[in-house]
Amino acid sequence: QSNLSNVLRFLKTKVEQISGCRDRAESVKPEDLHEEFTTVLQERYPEWLEQAKQQEGWTCAAWNDDVKEEDKETKSSSGWQNGRKRKN
């Protein structure tokens, strides 16, 4: 519960870093995980969801939303575009 705001933010903003579910047809796809998780939280733990929504920004020092110029260039040259792997 204490890390829920980070989990929700990660599912929403770091979709390209979610792994383990892209190759299984029966799994929820990374781009749908935030919505699915939020829906279940609203049904079962609405008070937790409300508390998490009140938190602004990352509470974990390891995460941030800043993208450095060299990271953009690396992703661009390695097949990444707009935070997602380009399809060739």
Side-chain angles (χ1 to χ4, degrees):
Q1 182 179 349
S2 65
N3 201 31
L4 184 56
S5 65
N6 288 321
V7 172
L8 291 169
R9 190 175 185 92
F10 183 88
L11 292 174
K12 190 172 190 174
T13 64
K14 306 287 185 181
V15 174
E16 73 279 359
Q17 295 181 28
I18 298 171
S19 64
C21 54
R22 297 179 198 282
D23 59 345
R24 296 193 315 233
E26 72 278 4
S27 68
V28 176
K29 299 304 174 212
E31 54 274 3
D32 299 326
L33 277 171
H34 179 267
E35 183 178 346
E36 292 283 334
F37 190 54
T38 302
T39 298
V40 172
L41 282 171
Q42 184 62 49
E43 292 171 2
R44 297 185 184 183
Y45 303 101
E47 65 283 352
W48 290 8
L49 183 58
E50 274 309 306
Q51 289 173 352
K53 286 181 177 181
Q54 300 302 315
Q55 179 67 47
E56 291 187 23
W58 297 99
T59 61
C60 176
W63 292 104
N64 64 54
D65 290 328
D66 297 333
V67 177
K68 298 175 186 171
E69 281 304 313
E70 62 266 18
D71 291 342
K72 287 181 184 177
E73 291 173 16
T74 301
K75 285 184 176 182
S76 176
S77 65
S78 65
W80 286 84
Q81 182 177 15
N82 297 326
R84 295 181 183 258
K85 187 76 171 164
R86 272 195 309 259
K87 295 179 182 175
N88 294 331

